[in-house]
Amino acid sequence: GVARFVFGSSSSVYGDATPVPFREDEPSLSPISPYAATKRAGELSCHVYHHLYRFRVAVLRFFTVYGSRQRPDLAVHRFTRLLASGQAIEQYGDGSSERDYTHVDDIVGGVLGAVRWIAAEDAAYEIFNLGESRTVRLAYLIQLVAEGLGVEPRIELKPAQPGDVRRTCADITKARRVLGYDPQVTIMDVSPEQLLERAHERFELKDYYGALYLLHELIDAGRAFADAHNLLGLSYEMLGRPERALEAFDQALELNPRYVEANIHRGIVLAELGRHEEATEAFQAAQESGGEDRGGVTAHQAAKLANLHAEVGEAYAEAGAFGLAVEQYQRALELGPNYHDLRFRLGRLLLEAGRSLEAREELEKVVEARPGAVDVQSVYGLACFMTGDGATARSIWEALHEKHPEDIRVKAYLGLLSRGNGG
């Protein structure tokens, strides 16, 4: 009787909720089409027969097979036929869906490896992914076929089909190890720059696992550069894995010690971990990376870095360490003396720290830049009052009260003056 069995399954069993790259040991599969559900049912039936009758079973999950003798209704065959005859292509969705296209020659190699594997005597049931382990966007596939035919594609946009998954991507580590699977045919040649660009696309779409996969592929191939490690760190940070993020930022800085963005991102993660002294050092390193003139950073980077100093300053302020908080805001203002919001906050921190004279000096600069700001004027009046200059404080608050009689804070400050004068 039958004792060995190779079952042809599909990548569609992973559904739309499985992190990429798809691994065979993923515990929760949620197929979203009848086809995928029947394939998953077939896999489970194979497992039942293995359990009851000790069948040796190899389940092969094929990833979007193309090549010689492909069914005419499938994408690559259909696109090629339509484009070659000058007809329009129906594109379902916006073209951002991605598939792991696998050439039939490589699939045959995987099937033969599975046949050899089940020939062994030990009873077992195993699942293997057979894919290229690289994804291609639908829009790019259409362009790729059109370029190969030397034609300009005509595309008719259609709504996305409800049973189609957004993305497939195979982790073929197990198939390589057990079956000797080694795909050789690639649907496209991808440079390191292109891989990084695609990783950026995945990151922008908030597909952080997808970005991780592409970046690790780039790094494992020994073709990575500092930008790749920096994006890897950002991806890990967004997935809530700060220690891995720090490792990636450190690697980026090892490759490029003057990498401003990597230092900034490293500082953010350190601050989130409560390692404020190290965060400060990272921000300072970013500031100093380019020498003088905002530390060699662009105006945009300087603004970003100043805000990060302010964030660390707020963390110190929440902990009651006002002196350290003031230092952070002062560093922020070194990057941009015209960041008036940050200077206003510095003035208030100085008041809280009991350094009224310094507060008055900082707030006076903000008043000169924003004479019509009620908040700034009222707090500046408070700084004057705290330094013993009640006359100036009264003048400021009375002028504000005349323009804004409904402002409760100004009324309170005037009441403070009245009590200070004994009535």
Side-chain angles (χ1 to χ4, degrees), residues 161-288:
Q161 295 178 309
D164 281 352
V165 297
R166 293 188 301 272
R167 188 169 193 238
T168 64
C169 184
D171 184 329
I172 57 175
T173 305
K174 181 179 178 181
R176 285 186 185 277
R177 185 183 72 252
V178 179
L179 305 182
Y181 177 66
D182 185 22
Q184 297 296 310
V185 182
T186 179
I187 199 167
M188 64 176 183
D189 293 322
V190 183
S191 69
E193 291 77 15
Q194 289 172 318
L195 270 179
L196 183 59
E197 181 180 351
R198 291 172 61 200
H200 273 291
E201 289 177 357
R202 301 317 313 172
F203 186 88
E204 291 299 321
L205 292 170
K206 298 183 180 180
D207 178 12
Y208 305 121
Y209 284 107
L212 283 180
Y213 178 73
L214 291 169
L215 291 165
H216 277 298
E217 179 181 345
L218 184 59
I219 292 167
D220 291 345
R223 301 186 295 171
F225 28 88
D227 285 347
H229 289 283
N230 182 59
L231 186 59
L232 184 68
L234 286 173
S235 300
Y236 275 125
E237 181 185 357
M238 298 306 295
L239 290 170
R241 300 171 67 179
E243 296 299 337
R244 293 298 301 272
L246 288 177
E247 290 176 9
F249 293 138
D250 287 342
Q251 186 61 46
L253 289 166
E254 184 175 325
L255 293 170
N256 180 5
R258 302 179 69 84
Y259 198 154
V260 173
E261 292 293 327
N263 261 318
I264 291 174
H265 298 145
R266 184 172 180 273
I268 293 173
V269 175
L270 289 166
E272 290 174 349
L273 291 172
R275 295 158 61 177
H276 297 303
E277 290 187 8
E278 293 175 79
T280 299
E281 291 175 1
F283 295 149
Q284 189 66 32
Q287 181 179 343
E288 295 173 352

Side-chain angles (χ1 to χ4, degrees), residues 243-353:
E243 296 299 337
R244 293 298 301 272
L246 288 177
E247 290 176 9
F249 293 138
D250 287 342
Q251 186 61 46
L253 289 166
E254 184 175 325
L255 293 170
N256 180 5
R258 302 179 69 84
Y259 198 154
V260 173
E261 292 293 327
N263 261 318
I264 291 174
H265 298 145
R266 184 172 180 273
I268 293 173
V269 175
L270 289 166
E272 290 174 349
L273 291 172
R275 295 158 61 177
H276 297 303
E277 290 187 8
E278 293 175 79
T280 299
E281 291 175 1
F283 295 149
Q284 189 66 32
Q287 181 179 343
E288 295 173 352
S289 291
E292 299 180 357
D293 185 25
R294 294 197 195 95
V297 301
T298 65
H300 171 73
Q301 291 170 330
K304 186 174 181 180
L305 186 54
N307 284 325
L308 292 173
H309 275 297
E311 287 181 19
V312 176
E314 286 303 308
Y316 278 127
E318 288 176 10
F322 292 108
L324 294 172
V326 165
E327 289 180 11
Q328 290 299 318
Y329 274 92
Q330 288 172 334
R331 288 183 178 177
L333 289 165
E334 288 174 5
L335 287 160
N338 294 323
Y339 300 152
H340 303 302
D341 289 342
L342 299 185
R343 191 176 298 280
F344 179 49
R345 178 59 179 146
L346 171 61
R348 297 182 68 172
L349 282 171
L350 287 165
L351 280 176
E352 291 182 62

